[in-house]
Amino acid sequence: MNKEIKQEYLKIKDKISQEEFLKRMEGMKKEYEDVSFMNDIDMARMIVAEFTKEKNEPLADKKDHKMDKISKMEEGADKLTLKGRVMQISNPKKFTTRKGKEGKVANLVVADETEDVRVVFWTENIKLLKKIKEGDAIHIHGVSVKEGYRGRKEIHLQPRSTIDVLDEDANLPVYHEEITPINSIEEDQEVNIIARIVRISRIRTFDRDGNEGKVASLELQDETGQITYTLWNRDTDLIKDLDLQENDPVKILGAQSRSREGEISLTHSWVGRIIKGDYDVPEIEEKMFKIGDAHEKKDISVIGLVTKVQDPITFERSDGSAGSVKSIEIADDTGKIRVTLWNDDTSLNINKGDILKIMGGNVEFDEYAAEGYRINTNWNSRIVINPESDKKLVELLNEYKKHLEPVKIGNIVDIQDEGEEIDIVGRIVSINEPREFQREDGSTGLVRSADIADETGVVKISLWDDKAHTSLKIGEAIRIENARTKLGLYSVDLSIGKTSRLLEPQKDDLKDLPSFEELEDIIYTSKKIDDLEEDDRNLKLVARVIDLYDPNEFQRDDGSPGIVRSMEVGDDTGSIRASLWDDKAEIPLNIGDAIIIQNPQVKFRNDHLELSIGRNTQINRAKDKDLESLPTFQELEDMIYTPKSIENLEEEDRNVKISGELTEAFGGRILSYRCPNCNNRLESSEEEYICDFCGEETDEPRYLLMVPARIEDDTGDIRVTFFGKQAEKLLEMSTQEVADVIAKSADEGALEEKVEDLNGRNITIIGDANFDEYNEEVRLNPKKIVKIEL
């Protein structure tokens, strides 16, 4: 029980217990739960009145204080009768009760010869409004007096209040409804007008001290001029409740005029009223603005075909709130022009090819626009997508849609101009991870490349900055608008930047687009390893991993780090070495895996063809249908690794299998110190290492383990040097373990005996033969140790 209610109870504490008082309060709350104007204090006072003399002798009935005039009525009095003339009636407004139920409220201004007062009709009383109109003399029975807005007195009807319309009473003020022509309205007036609705804006939302506000406007016109009429918050519901339509004649009573930036406009007031009717106002003659005649002009209507759409851009206003802006381009039969949309309008579902009708836009000079002008919309503009009116112009614009169809990817190569904007529809056939780069101004950028294909060809795209974060999947269909052409040496690529758009394809876009599997067959040429040629493009290779090496880090010429991993792949025609670069080096692969390699580069290096697998290459697991012609791993080993005797080796032999006895294994110096930056040999100087190639000093070199030896069979012998992993396998020690032993002993030959113990062991290796010009002999470069035994 709060302080005010307790004070009411104290008036009757000797007549009723506090427990009974509170019980009565709960009962009244249930009885009046849908009566929004009844609060707890009102209910407490009603209970008190039952137990006091005031109930039998109301103050209003005392001869010395009879409240029979508005000026005499005092706050707190109830069960009064009000007599007066209706001067104003508002449209009913909706609200929600404390219990979540819908309610309505309407405001009247009623006057007698002493003064006027606001009279509030609640949900239960709204039906009584049908009995009265402005100018009627009325009796309202059963009202109460309350404190209202800014402390002013208000009269409130109660659920059982009644109204009688009286005969004319000469003592009451005269009602006069003066209609003001629009061109005669001045600032700070309350006016009545009769006009026709030219335009109804969309209801927009805004932040109002942390709450959502709403605003809409009606553009009104009579024979003298045009004016904007603004509805705020709950008043915006009147557009739907009254079924207001463009071209409707209306009478508006109690509108408040104001001036802003030299222009007069009207605002709906708390007692304002909109009445639809058959009023005598001129028909609206809508004039369409022609884009080709662009000049600075306010409040124009225009119809155009949407020829370009850009994504919205968000920004921060001076007050810290967020705003958004979006640019589109429209064209009619006379030209094209840029249109700027703001805030809520940026979320309209406007697509290229739509017909757009804009009413209430302003044509402004724009030095950055190719046409010299732009159309700027504002909060009371109206935008209609694909209107049904103006059928002749709409039919003409629909003919122009044919020129907006996306370009076939195969035709992009015919484009001669750099930076031309085009649209394409295709499927993603390859996609790379985003990578950062540094611009000339020192800022960091992001770029991501992908390949897009349709039935006519493939094009490389580059997605920049925010666009690089777009979620893309292999095989996904995509529509790209406003892509800019970038002319390369042998191709035309597409740049996808800030003004480009990545969209889901429209239904018509997909009718001729092949499936991803069909595109793979169209785009890529399947080849066997033995058929490969240098610079083959759009190649598809099905092979099996037959050897795999650890990744190696390196430093590029620009100082950026890189990573590369080598592997050997084979099919039933042969084998080839492949280099996997950067993110491709991190693909999880195992010896024996069957894979599909799409779009690798075929290069001639070290007298042999090799595959380079970089950003534009895709590696996927082979499918069941691809395995039909691919031998098993064991079959490939038997086919590719040809056994040979040392006597029969030729300098171009590759992947030969040699078995023999290790001899002349030498361990005097098996550790080579390499520069961690450029991988060249380091020379030590006073416990520091200096690279003669790049000039860098380092305390921690990179180690290269190597074991030189010869292999001998019953036909001859050949020089061989085991490096890295192969040397570790021979010694059964890691490179770091070898380095630790040598560092601890300070003797480069600390493992010489261990190395010499290898002599006499039988070994089988896979290797490539080449001619050593320095020693003028054929050498064997081991690639894999198959087995080693005593």
Side-chain angles (χ1 to χ4, degrees), residues 549-555 561-566 577 580-582 585 679 702-704 725:
Y549 303 92
D550 289 336
N552 289 317
E553 296 180 353
F554 65 93
Q555 189 175 46
I563 186 171
V564 62
R565 187 182 197 187
S566 296
R577 187 182 182 88
L580 298 98
W581 299 93
D582 298 317
N679 207 37
R702 178 178 294 163
Y703 301 111
L704 175 63
K725 293 296 182 182

Coordinates of all heavy atoms in Angstrom, one line a residue, residues 549-555 561-566 577 580-582 585 679 702-704 725:
Y549 N 56.0 -34.9 -49.5 CA 57.1 -34.3 -48.8 C 56.6 -33.3 -47.8 O 55.5 -32.7 -48.0 CB 58.1 -33.7 -49.7 CG 58.7 -34.7 -50.7 CD1 58.1 -34.8 -52.0 CD2 59.7 -35.5 -50.4 CE1 58.5 -35.7 -52.9 CE2 60.2 -36.4 -51.4 CZ 59.6 -36.6 -52.6 OH 60.0 -37.5 -53.5
D550 N 57.4 -33.0 -46.8 CA 57.0 -32.1 -45.8 C 57.0 -30.6 -46.4 O 57.8 -30.3 -47.2 CB 58.0 -32.1 -44.6 CG 57.8 -33.4 -43.8 OD1 56.7 -34.0 -43.8 OD2 58.7 -33.8 -43.1
P551 N 56.1 -29.8 -45.8 CA 56.1 -28.4 -46.3 C 57.4 -27.7 -45.9 O 58.0 -28.0 -44.9 CB 54.9 -27.8 -45.6 CG 54.1 -28.9 -45.1 CD 55.1 -30.0 -44.9
N552 N 57.8 -26.7 -46.7 CA 59.0 -25.9 -46.5 C 58.6 -24.4 -46.5 O 57.9 -24.0 -47.4 CB 60.1 -26.1 -47.5 CG 60.8 -27.5 -47.4 OD1 61.1 -27.9 -46.2 ND2 61.0 -28.2 -48.5
E553 N 59.0 -23.7 -45.5 CA 58.8 -22.2 -45.5 C 59.9 -21.5 -46.3 O 61.0 -22.0 -46.3 CB 58.7 -21.7 -44.1 CG 57.5 -22.3 -43.3 CD 57.5 -21.8 -41.9 OE1 58.4 -21.1 -41.5 OE2 56.5 -22.1 -41.1
F554 N 59.5 -20.4 -46.9 CA 60.5 -19.6 -47.6 C 60.1 -18.1 -47.6 O 59.0 -17.8 -47.1 CB 60.6 -20.1 -49.1 CG 59.4 -19.9 -49.9 CD1 59.3 -18.7 -50.6 CD2 58.4 -20.8 -49.9 CE1 58.1 -18.5 -51.4 CE2 57.2 -20.6 -50.6 CZ 57.1 -19.4 -51.4
Q555 N 61.0 -17.3 -48.0 CA 60.7 -15.8 -48.0 C 60.8 -15.4 -49.5 O 61.7 -15.6 -50.2 CB 61.8 -15.1 -47.2 CG 61.4 -13.6 -47.0 CD 62.4 -12.9 -46.1 OE1 63.6 -13.1 -46.2 NE2 61.8 -12.1 -45.1
P561 N 56.4 -14.0 -46.3 CA 56.6 -15.5 -46.1 C 55.8 -16.3 -47.0 O 54.7 -15.9 -47.4 CB 56.2 -15.7 -44.6 CG 55.2 -14.7 -44.4 CD 55.5 -13.5 -45.2
G562 N 56.3 -17.5 -47.4 CA 55.5 -18.4 -48.2 C 55.8 -19.8 -47.7 O 56.6 -20.1 -46.9
I563 N 55.0 -20.7 -48.3 CA 55.2 -22.1 -47.9 C 54.9 -23.0 -49.2 O 54.1 -22.6 -50.0 CB 54.2 -22.5 -46.8 CG1 54.5 -23.9 -46.3 CG2 52.8 -22.3 -47.2 CD1 53.7 -24.3 -45.0
V564 N 55.7 -24.0 -49.3 CA 55.6 -24.9 -50.5 C 55.7 -26.3 -50.0 O 56.5 -26.6 -49.1 CB 56.6 -24.5 -51.6 CG1 58.0 -24.7 -51.1 CG2 56.3 -25.3 -52.9
R565 N 55.0 -27.2 -50.7 CA 55.1 -28.6 -50.4 C 55.1 -29.4 -51.7 O 54.3 -29.1 -52.6 CB 53.9 -29.1 -49.6 CG 54.0 -30.5 -49.1 CD 52.7 -30.9 -48.3 NE 53.0 -32.1 -47.5 CZ 52.0 -32.7 -46.8 NH1 50.8 -32.2 -46.9 NH2 52.3 -33.8 -46.1
S566 N 56.0 -30.4 -51.8 CA 56.1 -31.1 -53.1 C 55.4 -32.5 -52.9 O 55.4 -33.1 -51.8 CB 57.6 -31.3 -53.4 OG 58.2 -30.1 -53.8
R577 N 55.8 -34.5 -60.9 CA 56.0 -33.8 -59.6 C 55.1 -32.6 -59.6 O 54.8 -31.9 -60.6 CB 57.5 -33.3 -59.5 CG 57.8 -32.7 -58.2 CD 59.3 -32.2 -58.2 NE 59.7 -31.7 -56.9 CZ 60.2 -32.4 -55.9 NH1 60.3 -33.7 -56.1 NH2 60.6 -31.8 -54.8
L580 N 52.8 -27.6 -54.3 CA 51.6 -27.0 -53.7 C 52.0 -25.7 -52.9 O 52.9 -25.8 -52.0 CB 50.9 -28.0 -52.7 CG 50.4 -29.2 -53.4 CD1 51.3 -30.4 -53.2 CD2 49.0 -29.6 -52.8
W581 N 51.4 -24.6 -53.3 CA 51.9 -23.3 -52.7 C 50.9 -22.7 -51.7 O 49.7 -22.8 -51.8 CB 52.1 -22.3 -53.8 CG 53.1 -22.7 -54.9 CD1 52.8 -23.4 -56.0 CD2 54.5 -22.5 -54.8 NE1 54.0 -23.6 -56.7 CE2 55.1 -23.1 -56.0 CE3 55.4 -21.9 -53.9 CZ2 56.4 -23.1 -56.3 CZ3 56.7 -21.9 -54.2 CH2 57.2 -22.5 -55.3
D582 N 51.5 -22.2 -50.6 CA 50.8 -21.4 -49.6 C 49.6 -22.3 -49.0 O 49.8 -23.3 -48.5 CB 50.3 -20.1 -50.1 CG 51.5 -19.2 -50.5 OD1 52.5 -19.2 -49.8 OD2 51.5 -18.6 -51.6
A585 N 49.4 -25.9 -49.7 CA 50.4 -26.8 -49.1 C 49.8 -27.3 -47.8 O 50.4 -28.3 -47.2 CB 51.6 -26.0 -48.8
N679 N 67.7 -19.6 -47.5 CA 68.1 -21.0 -47.6 C 69.4 -21.2 -48.3 O 69.8 -22.3 -48.7 CB 67.0 -21.8 -48.4 CG 67.0 -23.3 -48.0 OD1 67.2 -23.6 -46.8 ND2 66.8 -24.2 -48.9
R702 N 69.1 -22.6 -40.2 CA 68.3 -23.8 -40.6 C 69.3 -24.9 -40.9 O 70.3 -24.7 -41.6 CB 67.5 -23.5 -41.8 CG 66.6 -24.6 -42.3 CD 65.7 -24.2 -43.4 NE 64.7 -23.3 -43.0 CZ 64.0 -22.5 -43.8 NH1 64.3 -22.5 -45.1 NH2 63.1 -21.7 -43.3
Y703 N 69.0 -26.1 -40.5 CA 70.0 -27.2 -40.7 C 69.5 -28.1 -41.8 O 68.3 -28.4 -42.0 CB 70.0 -28.1 -39.4 CG 70.5 -27.3 -38.2 CD1 69.6 -27.1 -37.1 CD2 71.8 -26.9 -38.1 CE1 70.1 -26.4 -36.0 CE2 72.3 -26.2 -37.0 CZ 71.4 -25.9 -35.9 OH 71.8 -25.2 -34.8
L704 N 70.5 -28.5 -42.6 CA 70.2 -29.5 -43.7 C 71.1 -30.7 -43.4 O 72.4 -30.6 -43.4 CB 70.5 -28.9 -45.1 CG 70.4 -29.9 -46.2 CD1 69.0 -30.3 -46.4 CD2 70.9 -29.2 -47.5
K725 N 64.8 -35.9 -44.9 CA 64.1 -37.0 -44.3 C 64.8 -38.4 -44.7 O 64.7 -39.3 -43.9 CB 62.7 -37.0 -44.8 CG 61.8 -35.9 -44.3 CD 61.7 -35.9 -42.8 CE 60.8 -34.8 -42.3 NZ 60.7 -34.8 -40.9

